[in-house]
Amino acid sequence: MTDRYTEQLTRYLEIYDSCATVSKYQDLWEISEAMIDEFLRKRWPELMANDQLEISILPGWIPVIDRLCRSITEVLNENPGVRVTVHQVKEKFGGLRFYATVDSATMDECQLCDEHIPASTRIYELIKRAEREADFICETCGAPGKKVTRGWIK
């Protein structure tokens, strides 16, 4: 992927952050799944380091994934012994699926008390929240949307 595409995807995120819908931007339609794959791997190298990782989404969900990765990174920064391996990011049955495992080299002390939520639980909750959020966002353009059934659920 060229730097032009990285710039294009970065600009897409800036556009998305500044307005409710991005479908009016022509260059959005030039973004391929391969470009998204490489963009996310470059933007979040710690999370997307798995050689077996499969990323297969359209541009509308990039901001959802970006916010999710930012939130997961914040949790990881607070919990240095915890590691996340992302295995797959895709659309399935019209919804976002973000498959990941959370590993901890040491026993999380928070698992032993009721006052704190373990890092792994927080990360899995962030993933569930992002998947639910994507249910109401068009995978193609990022506009508010809903699932449509016409043979396939999309």
Side-chain angles (χ1 to χ4, degrees):
M1 181 166 82
T2 66
D3 288 333
R4 182 182 133 229
Y5 294 126
T6 301
E7 290 171 17
Q8 187 178 19
L9 287 165
T10 301
R11 192 173 66 149
Y12 169 76
L13 282 174
E14 291 167 359
I15 291 167
Y16 186 87
D17 287 341
S18 67
C19 65
T21 182
V22 296
S23 60
K24 59 188 171 187
Y25 294 93
Q26 283 296 96
D27 60 350
L28 173 65
W29 306 107
E30 298 172 13
I31 299 172
S32 70
E33 286 185 3
M35 293 163 54
I36 294 168
D37 180 292
E38 191 164 344
F39 174 75
L40 290 173
R41 288 174 190 269
K42 284 183 177 181
R43 190 164 172 91
W44 302 104
E46 318 81 36
L47 296 177
M48 308 288 177
N50 180 359
D51 292 337
Q52 307 297 313
L53 172 62
E54 295 177 35
I55 300 174
S56 179
I57 60 166
L58 296 176
W61 286 348
I62 293 172
V64 176
I65 299 299
D66 195 57
R67 285 190 298 274
L68 172 59
C69 290
R70 186 178 309 120
S71 297
I72 290 173
T73 300
E74 290 171 5
V75 173
L76 294 176
N77 289 339
E78 296 167 6
N79 300 275
V82 178
R83 200 185 76 173
V84 173
T85 304
V86 180
H87 302 284
Q88 195 172 40
V89 181
K90 68 177 188 174
E91 176 275 330
K92 183 174 183 179
F93 300 121
L96 172 65
R97 299 297 183 268
F98 190 96
Y99 298 113
T101 53
V102 181
D103 299 317
S104 179
T106 60
M107 177 70 168
D108 187 348
E109 291 181 16
C110 292
Q111 291 177 349
L112 304 175
C113 71
D114 293 332
E115 294 180 27
H116 301 94
I117 300 172
S120 59
T121 302
R122 290 173 53 202
I123 290 169
Y124 288 126
E125 286 175 357
L126 289 168
I127 292 169
K128 285 180 196 172
R129 187 179 318 144
E131 290 175 341
R132 283 192 307 267
E133 178 186 355
D135 284 342
F136 302 97
I137 296 173
C138 175
E139 181 189 13
T140 303
C141 70
K146 62 181 180 180
K147 291 183 184 177
V148 178
T149 305
R150 289 187 197 122
W152 294 100
I153 301 171
K154 204 64 173 154

